Each structure stands twice: as C-alpha cells, then as structure tokens.
Amino acid sequence: MCYTGRRREGCVIKFYITTPIYYPSDRLHIGHAYTTVAADALARFHRLCGHDTFFLTGTDEHGQKIQRKAAAAGKEPQEFVDEIVAGIVKLWERLRISYDDFIRTTEPRHKAVVQRVFQRLYDRGDIYKAAYEGWYCADCEAFYTETQVAGFPEGKCPDHDRPVERLREESYFFRLSKYADRLLHHIEEHPEFIQPASRRNEMVNFIRQGLEDLCVSRTTFDWGVPVPFDDKHVVYVWVDALTNYISAIGYLAGDPALRERFDRYWPADVHLVGKEIVRFHAVIWPILLMALELPLPGRVFGHGWLVLESGKMSKARGNVVDPHVLCDRYGVDAVRYFLLREIPFGADGFYSEDAMLTRYNADLANDLGNLLSRSTAMIERFCDGAVPEPVAAEDDGVLRALAAEVAEAFTGHMERLELSDALAAIMRLVGRANKYIDETAPWELNRDAGRAERLASVMYSLMEAQRIVAVMLTPFMPAAPERFWYQLGLDGDVRAQRWPAAARWGQLPAGTRVRRGEPVFPRIETAKIGVEER
C-alpha cells in the first residue's frame, strides 16, 4: 500500500502537509481556495486514518509589491497586510479549513529563523555578495534571464501581463548551481519527489539547462527581514517565504517544545502548490535544505489551474471568482465538492457557473441527497422508522461487495492524491445504491408479507452503504456528513470514525431509528441563480 505519510518510532504514521503561503496583496480568489481545500481534504483523510497530522498554511507578507501597494493605499505595510490577512483567515474559517498552524512571515518567530538560516548559509560559504543586473517582475517577485524575457509577449510577464523591469543592484547570492547535480540525482532516485510526472519532467529539463545562482537580498526596498550582518539589505523573497515550512514547526527555535515539534514532523510529506510555483519548491527549496543539511520533503505536488473561458484566473486580469459568492449561492460543502470532483487533480480544469450548477444538481441533489431522502422515507413507511435486522440468506451482497471495492479504491486514490478519482469512487457506490432501489423495488416487497426478510435485508444494505459513504465524505465535506449521520439515526461525531475500520460491513446497529429531515442538498433551479449574477 502506497502511504503518503511516514512512520515514526512505534509505527505511528505522521503526515505533514503544507499549502503555499499566500501573498496578501489583495483578496484571494477561488483558485487559492482550490489549493487550500485540497490540502484540507488530505489532512482530514489522514486524521480519519488516525495519523499524527499537521497541516500548515499562511501568508507571505514581505516584498516590494506589498510596499508599493501599501503606499498607494496610504497605509503602512503592516497595516495594509493585517487587513487582508484578516480576510484570508475569515475565508478559511468559512470554508472550514482545519489547519493546525497559520504562519505569517511578519511574525517574530518566523523572522528570527530566517535570519538564523541566512547566517548559517553565509557562514558555510553558500551565500556571497555581488552585483546583479537583470529583468524583474514585482508581481512574481522573480528575476528572469535575457533568454526568458525574449520569449515574453511584448516584454510582459506571461503570468501577470505587466512589463518586467530592468534592475541593477548589489545583492547577496545563494550558490544554487553548486547543488544542481545532487538535486538531479535525488530526483532520479526518488521519482515520487515531484508530481505529477509532467512537472517532474519540466523540472529535470530546467535543471539540466543550467542553474544560475539565486539573488537572496535586495537594497531597493526595506519591507522585509533584515540581513543579520548587513542592515542595508533585506532577505529576498524565496529564502524568507520558503523557510516558513520549517520556521512554523520549530526549526532553530529556542523553545525545546518547538524543537521537538520540528523533530516530530520534518520532513514534510507533501508540499501542495500551484504549477506556476513548482520551480521554487522543487528546485530552490530542496537545494536550500541540502545546504542546511536537512532531509528533503517526500513530495512536491504541483496541481493545475482553475481556468475560466477568458483564460487563467488572475487578479491582474480582473477575471477572478470570489469564493464567498459561490458559498452564498451553493453552500460551503457544494463548493468544496465541485472543486475537488470536477478537476482531475494535477491537470487544469475549467470553472463555469453552468458546470457548477450541473455538478451540484446531478451529484449532490439527485444522487446523494435523493438516496438519503428515499431510503429514510422507506424505512419510516415500511419498517416503522427503525433499521431492520438483515437476514443472511436474503442478502444478495450487491452493495456489500461494491462497498468493499469502493473503500479500497477510495483509500488508494487518497494516498496517491487522486482526489477527483476518490470522489468518483464514492459516487459510484451512491449511484449503485440508487439503482439498487429501482431493481429491488422495496415498495413491492412491502406488499408481500412473505418477502419481509428480503425487504429487511434490502433496506439494511441501503442504510449500511450510506453509513460508509458518510464516513468517506468527511475529508471533502465538513458539514453534510454530520447531517447524513444524524438522519441515518447514528449518534456521535462521524469524524470520530477511524478508517479503514469504518468500512467493515455490518456496523450499523439493527433497530437504529432514522431521523428523516430536510434535504441535505435541495435542488437548485437555474432561474434561482439570476441572470444578472451569471
């Protein structure tokens, strides 16, 4: 079995997952929510499995772009980012993101580690001072070579559609090129390190073209972490930003308890990032770790973009989708479901209002919600509201066999970060259960007193399959599984279940009284959305 987590002493599996830290220059859009919801689903899955899980997200708050935007708004940089970060935290609360820590690069605990890391790299001879001249994109916080800029349309950054700037300044540099061969060897020895395979191939080709040493300080602005031995310089973005993955869990911390947390969780098991920043996480970050003599993360996974008909979603292009608007319209669980079901994880996917509405009505209202409504109604009508005792001789095993197959597939897909496939497997069981109702026709069985045992076995199978479905949905939907659990007549917290033990058939106690309620996912008519909103 391919586990994404790593075993610690005593065979306890730990799982440490991170999102990128987001740049608080403006409100986040649905593309950022996609990354964070995916990471949250994986963290919730590992908690469901009983693993020692740590989930980190946060914000990257330094840099020239922030300083410029704050000045344009008539605010100090810290005041400017505080307001935006408060909005990010509120969005994650609304989407029920279950992070264990939220790191801000303006926090003293982070800045202290960045300075210690910079000093350590300098003392080892891996950082040196030189002059730099090159093309720079303030939105990317990245420098580009003449060859790269020659391929930019009209000299504009392809990601942000804004002209790059020509800069010359004294800087400190990190010896990135020194470690190129060592990184290539690691990638060859650990093909799972960069995923999907297409991203790995891109990074291998990039490294083989030759790495240039990395600019790691700036003097043209001062909104950043001061270089510890040269106060004219501030630490440039990637040493500052990437260090969050170890500063948050206690690397080089003075507190022994924090250092213990670092020993407990490092190396990270999954760095989850958008494909546009894979290079920084799969090249710069592992080389920084090599220079610090730290083990490398298990996996860097670069997922695709959420694309609109007008192209890549971006604040610069003004075509972003506000996740709050979608949550108002469809509900948090439906938004999370759409993001993780509609798009094969790793590939680009299209977002449209029609796709969202179609997926909601087809999967959630018609299949999932309707199954619960139909089956609990039949339990009330045919079984006096209590789940009947199944009779082995009358159990055809159709749903039992499929539930076992789906549970195994679900586990494998989650371990391989195939989130869309995991949801497809769950919905396969849901769809088969709906078909099972039509095939077995419990209303006909109820009319024949001689078929009471067959009716009992059919109804038990339907309810037990839904118990397993509710557990499998918990990584993806924070609220709906609780409502399913309650309507199935079960007590306690569905999230307290443990996987894969919860997949064992027959755990729904006979005699459990259902608590039929309002539809969990009521159907949404197109007209209700409103033409003006679309």
Side-chain angles (χ1 to χ4, degrees):
M1 187 160 60
C2 173
Y3 246 165
T4 50
R6 300 186 185 187
R7 294 190 180 273
R8 297 202 331 257
E9 185 179 350
C11 292
V12 175
I13 292 175
K14 72 90 180 171
F15 182 71
Y16 176 28
I17 185 169
T18 71
T19 71
I21 51 174
Y22 300 107
Y23 204 55
S25 58
D26 206 340
R27 292 190 303 171
L28 300 188
H29 58 65
I30 197 66
H32 302 110
Y34 175 47
T35 309
T36 312
V37 166
D40 184 62
L42 290 165
R44 287 174 180 269
F45 168 73
H46 281 273
R47 295 189 194 109
L48 183 68
C49 294
H51 301 162
D52 181 8
T53 301
F54 196 88
F55 172 22
L56 176 68
T57 190
T59 44
D60 171 17
E61 302 179 18
H62 292 129
Q64 188 174 44
K65 181 179 178 180
I66 292 288
Q67 192 165 30
R68 287 177 176 176
K69 293 205 74 168
K75 298 176 180 178
E76 291 298 316
Q78 189 68 60
E79 177 191 11
F80 178 80
V81 296
D82 283 349
E83 293 176 1
I84 295 176
V85 171
I88 293 172
V89 171
K90 187 173 294 186
L91 175 60
W92 293 162
E93 288 175 354
R94 184 166 194 192
L95 288 169
R96 301 279 295 271
I97 304 302
S98 61
Y99 56 80
D100 294 287
D101 199 354
F102 188 103
I103 185 75
R104 299 181 61 179
T105 57
T106 52
E107 291 181 75
R109 61 168 174 157
H110 174 75
K111 292 192 284 189
V113 175
V114 169
Q115 290 187 313
R116 290 168 191 154
V117 164
F118 202 97
Q119 184 73 58
R120 182 166 290 195
L121 294 172
Y122 181 78
D123 292 344
R124 293 181 177 185
D126 281 325
I127 285 180
Y128 62 93
K129 185 189 283 189
Y132 181 82
E133 183 173 0
W135 296 101
Y136 175 73
C137 172
D139 290 298
C140 292
E141 294 277 7
F143 287 95
Y144 293 97
T145 65
E146 294 285 352
T147 302
Q148 289 172 312
V149 172
F152 289 175
E154 301 178 356
K156 295 180 178 179
C157 169
D159 286 336
H160 297 96
D161 197 31
R162 292 178 181 171
V164 292
E165 308 171 53
R166 187 75 180 179
L167 295 180
R168 177 180 175 82
E169 63 181 289
E170 177 188 85
S171 299
Y172 286 94
F173 287 81
F174 172 64
R175 299 186 190 277
L176 199 71
S177 57
K178 172 181 172 182
Y179 295 89
D181 289 343
R182 182 173 164 186
L183 178 58
L184 275 174
H185 178 73
H186 180 83
I187 295 170
E188 290 166 359
E189 291 290 310
H190 301 87
E192 75 286 354
F193 175 60
I194 305 173
Q195 291 185 358
S198 58
R199 312 274 187 262
R200 181 173 65 247
N201 295 337
E202 289 171 9
M203 291 304 103
V204 168
N205 291 336
F206 177 79
I207 297 166
R208 285 177 176 162
Q209 289 172 10
L211 297 180
E212 296 182 353
D213 287 351
L214 181 69
C215 174
V216 291
S217 79
R218 300 290 303 279
T219 58
T220 52
F221 61 92
D222 59 7
W223 179 239
V225 179
V227 169
F229 47 82
D230 190 337
D231 58 12
K232 291 191 303 180
H233 291 251
V234 294
V235 178
Y236 183 47
V237 60
W238 293 110
V239 172
D240 179 1
L242 292 166
T243 299
N244 91 89
Y245 301 127
I246 53 178
S247 68
I249 57 170
Y251 179 62
L252 298 179
D255 185 341
L258 289 178
R259 292 199 303 272
E260 187 278 331
R261 186 161 79 167
F262 177 78
D263 293 339
R264 179 176 175 181
Y265 290 113
W266 191 258
D269 296 282
V270 179
H271 287 316
L272 192 60
V273 299
K275 66 179 182 179
E276 73 277 10
I277 55 173
V278 168
R279 175 164 58 96
F280 307 113
H281 289 79
V283 178
I284 295 174
W285 179 228
I287 287 179
L288 283 170
L289 291 169
M290 287 175 176
L292 292 168
E293 298 181 350
L294 291 175
L296 304 195
R299 187 181 321 190
V300 175
F301 191 98
H303 66 74
W305 289 335
L306 197 61
V307 182
L308 304 175
E309 289 181 5
S310 56
K312 178 179 179 279
M313 200 179 303
S314 118
K315 287 174 283 192
R317 293 187 173 99
N319 64 347
V320 300
V321 175
D322 186 341
H324 283 294
V325 172
L326 292 185
C327 290
D328 289 341
R329 193 175 294 163
Y330 297 100
V332 169
D333 280 359
V335 171
R336 288 176 58 117
Y337 177 84
F338 173 84
L339 291 174
L340 301 180
R341 175 68 184 91
E342 186 76 7
I343 306 162
F345 203 55
D348 288 349
F350 284 89
Y351 169 81
S352 71
E353 192 74 43
D354 286 341
M356 177 79 204
L357 182 63
T358 298
R359 181 67 73 179
Y360 176 94
N361 280 333
D363 288 13
L364 302 183
N366 293 358
D367 285 356
L368 184 60
N370 195 38
L371 174 62
L372 180 67
S373 181
R374 294 171 78 190
S375 55
T376 52
M378 288 187 291
I379 289 286
E380 287 186 341
R381 289 172 56 199
F382 307 150
C383 308
D384 294 324
V387 176
E389 183 81 43
V391 179
E394 293 291 345
D395 180 10
D396 53 30
V398 170
L399 293 185
R400 183 176 68 250
L402 183 60
E405 182 182 324
V406 164
E408 183 177 0
F410 163 77
T411 303
H413 289 313
M414 293 301 287
E415 288 170 348
R416 295 188 296 272
L417 279 60
E418 297 163 352
L419 303 181
S420 178
D421 292 334
L423 278 168
I426 297 170
M427 295 307 294
R428 190 167 140 231
L429 180 56
V430 171
R432 186 65 184 89
N434 274 308
K435 185 178 179 182
Y436 188 70
I437 293 175
D438 298 332
E439 290 173 345
T440 58
W443 49 91
E444 296 290 348
L445 296 174
N446 186 58
R447 293 193 187 104
D448 185 347
R451 305 298 307 277
E453 291 184 345
R454 171 63 174 156
L455 174 63
S457 297
V458 166
M459 295 311 303
Y460 184 87
S461 291
L462 285 168
M463 302 304 284
E464 175 66 350
Q466 288 177 86
R467 180 191 66 81
I468 296 171
V469 165
V471 176
M472 288 190 290
L473 285 174
T474 57
F476 305 99
M477 298 179 178
E482 296 175 3
R483 296 178 64 190
F484 272 79
W485 202 249
Y486 179 82
Q487 292 197 28
L488 290 171
L490 294 163
D491 295 320
D493 189 344
V494 62
R495 293 169 298 183
Q497 299 294 302
R498 284 292 168 262
W499 192 263
R504 191 178 70 253
W505 189 265
Q507 296 183 55
L508 178 62
T512 299
R513 302 200 67 82
V514 299
R515 295 178 284 235
R516 189 164 183 254
E518 294 297 316
V520 178
F521 293 106
R523 184 175 176 82
I524 298 176
E525 300 301 328
T526 306
K528 291 181 180 179
I529 294 178
V531 175
E532 73 283 354
E533 292 181 332
R534 298 180 67 202

